[in-house]
């Protein structure tokens, strides 16, 4: 019999955050996160080698911090969960090596889990059990996905994804164009609040009649990014001032419009009464407001984890690990490999 409320330690190291957390059942006891984002800022994007080294340095201190916060000893833990993909290969290796070491030394089961599904599973810590079926919109620096979640442990279906840039990536690229610091999402979010979202009519990718037949739930942000670049370049070439707040607001409106339009459609067409939004871009003010408004009109309830649980962290890994333990899922083998392009429908790695 799996424990009713297992004590699970979760490790996340797929990108630039080293996260370790301890969860008991659906309760978050300790959550330690170290970020190397400052070290990447001057390059305008994450440098894999720098991220891997930062994970190595932060891993043991984060494990200690999570245990201290939670008031538990390592030997009390029932299971170890770790992001085994998708993500940066070298970065993933650090977390998986740490998790295997703990699982072997403590003689506890190991669960290699999918980072993207963990962005969904984390919401049990804030809002309790996940309703089914549910649609999840994942929007981060590396991913933009629409998922139909029938069972978080066994049945996650991919409805659509970006065919080029991720939503967060588009935010970061447009921010760079406007000479804003990396990561650009929060800066655009802040500036957009002072701008006019209708000032410039930027394109809504994959929303035309024909595109909706072939790419109903898919996204494309590369054309939008290019449109913003052209608009800004033309103004600069003419020696005109750039109305940065209006550009930010109009760009953000185009992103939020397409994301929410397709997410609501996915809910309606798949009989889902709940939409969960996760990933770093879920912190975006306009995306949240428009999602609330459009979902309310369609009778759909929106769930968004608190902002610190939307960005990468160990709690999401521990939370999904705990749900797998409670569902009696088979643990991963100690030979667990990392998989930088882990398929989105694979919730965890089983033998
Ligand atoms: O999930 P996350 O922390 O890391 C990845 O797995 O990528 O997401 C980071 C992304 C970055 O692209 C960042 O610019 C974006 O989330 N982001 C935002 C906001 N806060 C973070 N984008 C728009 N509005 C925000 N408030
Ligand atoms: Zn993530």
């Amino acid at each position: 019999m799996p424990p009713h409320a297992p004590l699970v330690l979760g490790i996340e190291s797929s990108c630039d955050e080293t996260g370790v957390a301890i969860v008991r059942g659906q309760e978050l006891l300790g959550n330690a996160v170290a970020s190397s984002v400052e070290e990447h800022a001057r390059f305008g994007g994450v440098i894999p080698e720098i991220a891997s080294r930062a994970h190595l340095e932060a891993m043991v201190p984060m494990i200690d911090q999570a245990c201290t916060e939670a008031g538990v000893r390592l030997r009390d833990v029932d299971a170890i969960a770790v992001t085994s993909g998708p993500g940066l290969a070298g970065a993933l290796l650090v977390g998986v090596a740490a998790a295997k070491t703990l699982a072997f030394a403590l003689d506890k089961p190991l669960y290699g889990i999918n980072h993207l599904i963990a962005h969904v599973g984390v919401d049990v810590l804030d809002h309790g059990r996940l309703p089914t079926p549910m649609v999840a919109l994942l929007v981060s620096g590396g991913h933009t996905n629409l998922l139909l979640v029938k069972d978080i442990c066994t049945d996650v279906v991919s409805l659509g994804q970006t065919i080029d840039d991720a939503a967060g990536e588009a935010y970061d690229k447009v921010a760079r164009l406007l000479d804003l610091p990396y990561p650009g999402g929060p800066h655009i979010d802040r500036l957009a609040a002072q701008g006019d979202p209708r000032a410039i009519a930027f394109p809504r990718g994959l929303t035309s009649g024909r595109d909706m037949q072939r790419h109903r739930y898919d996204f494309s942000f590369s054309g939008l990014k290019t449109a913003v670049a052209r608009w800004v370049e033309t103004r600069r070439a003419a020696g005109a001032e750039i109305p940065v707040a209006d550009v930010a607001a109009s760009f953000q409106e185009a992103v939020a419009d397409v994301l929410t339009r397709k997410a609501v459609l996915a809910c309606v067409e798949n009989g889902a009464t709940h939409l969960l939004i996760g990933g770093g871009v879920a912190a975006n003010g306009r995306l949240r407001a428009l999602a609330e408004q459009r979902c309310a009109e369609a009778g759909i309830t929106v769930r968004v984890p608190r902002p610190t649980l939307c960005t990468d962290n160990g709690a999401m890994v521990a939370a999904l690990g705990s749900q797998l333990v409670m569902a009696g899922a088979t643990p991963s083998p100690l030979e667990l490999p990392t998989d930088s392009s882990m398929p989105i429908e694979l919730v965890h790695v089983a033998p």
Side-chain angles (χ1 to χ4, degrees):
M1 275 288 285
H4 168 64
L7 192 64
V8 179
L9 181 141
I11 298 179
E12 154 62 29
S13 74
S14 67
C15 191
D16 57 347
E17 266 92 32
T18 315
V20 181
I22 308 233
V23 159
R24 190 190 299 281
Q26 298 189 351
E27 188 192 353
L28 180 58
L29 302 183
N31 188 25
V33 184
S35 177
S36 61
V37 69
E38 298 287 326
E39 295 174 57
H40 307 287
R42 70 192 169 100
F43 302 105
V46 176
I47 307 296
E49 290 79 5
I50 295 179
S52 305
R53 180 165 294 272
H55 286 309
L56 264 180
E57 287 166 3
M59 189 57 70
V60 172
M62 288 306 105
I63 293 173
D64 287 343
Q65 191 180 321
C67 287
T68 307
E69 260 181 44
V72 302
R73 294 164 305 181
L74 275 177
R75 63 170 175 272
D76 299 330
V77 164
D78 294 310
I80 309 290
V82 62
T83 297
S84 60
L88 302 170
L92 288 167
L93 271 176
V94 179
V96 168
K100 285 181 184 176
T101 308
L102 288 176
F104 181 70
L106 301 167
D107 194 20
K108 301 293 177 184
L110 173 71
Y111 292 83
I113 66 160
N114 188 317
H115 176 88
L116 300 172
I117 315 295
H119 269 304
V120 181
V122 71
D123 198 49
V124 298
L125 301 176
D126 271 347
H127 302 109
R129 222 174 50 82
L130 298 175
T132 54
M134 183 185 76
V135 166
L137 170 66
L138 293 188
V139 273
S140 74
H143 297 275
T144 306
N145 298 79
L146 265 178
L147 303 174
L148 180 62
V149 183
K150 293 185 188 157
D151 180 325
I152 187 76
C153 293
T154 58
D155 194 350
V156 176
V157 179
S158 170
L159 296 175
Q161 61 210 321
T162 180
I163 60 165
D164 41 56
D165 292 349
E169 191 180 353
Y171 266 93
D172 295 336
K173 286 178 174 169
V174 166
R176 198 170 178 173
L177 234 132
L178 298 174
D179 298 321
L180 300 170
Y182 171 86
H187 298 282
I188 294 200
D189 196 358
R190 184 176 38 81
L191 276 167
Q194 298 142 34
D196 176 5
R198 289 175 303 268
I200 311 152
F202 286 130
R204 271 63 170 160
L206 299 184
T207 55
S208 72
R210 200 153 153 258
D211 282 336
M212 285 303 282
Q213 279 171 7
R214 289 182 50 222
H215 290 288
R216 197 163 191 75
Y217 300 131
D218 290 330
F219 303 98
S220 166
F221 296 109
S222 151
L224 170 61
K225 171 201 66 192
T226 307
V228 177
R230 291 246 167 82
W231 196 90
V232 170
E233 278 159 17
T234 309
R235 297 277 296 208
R236 277 195 183 131
E241 207 176 304
I242 309 296
V244 178
D246 285 348
V247 175
S250 301
F251 159 76
Q252 175 161 285
E253 195 62 20
V255 175
D257 179 22
V258 178
L259 287 175
T260 54
R261 220 192 289 178
K262 295 209 175 195
V264 169
L265 189 67
C267 288
V268 171
E269 293 183 345
N270 290 281
T273 54
H274 287 71
L275 170 68
L276 187 145
I277 311 179
V281 185
N284 186 261
R286 182 57 185 151
L287 174 61
R288 295 169 83 122
L290 197 55
E292 289 285 356
Q293 181 197 322
R294 289 184 171 170
C295 282
E297 286 162 11
I300 297 158
T301 306
V302 182
R303 288 174 57 146
V304 189
R306 76 188 95 150
T308 49
L309 295 185
C310 281
T311 48
D312 292 350
N313 60 77
M316 58 198 249
V317 183
L320 181 54
S322 162
Q323 288 166 88
L324 286 164
V325 173
M326 288 191 279
T330 311
S332 307
L334 264 185
E335 301 78 43
L336 173 71
T338 57
D339 182 354
S340 55
S341 52
M342 191 164 176
I344 190 147
E345 297 182 352
L346 182 66
V347 178
H348 90 289
V349 179

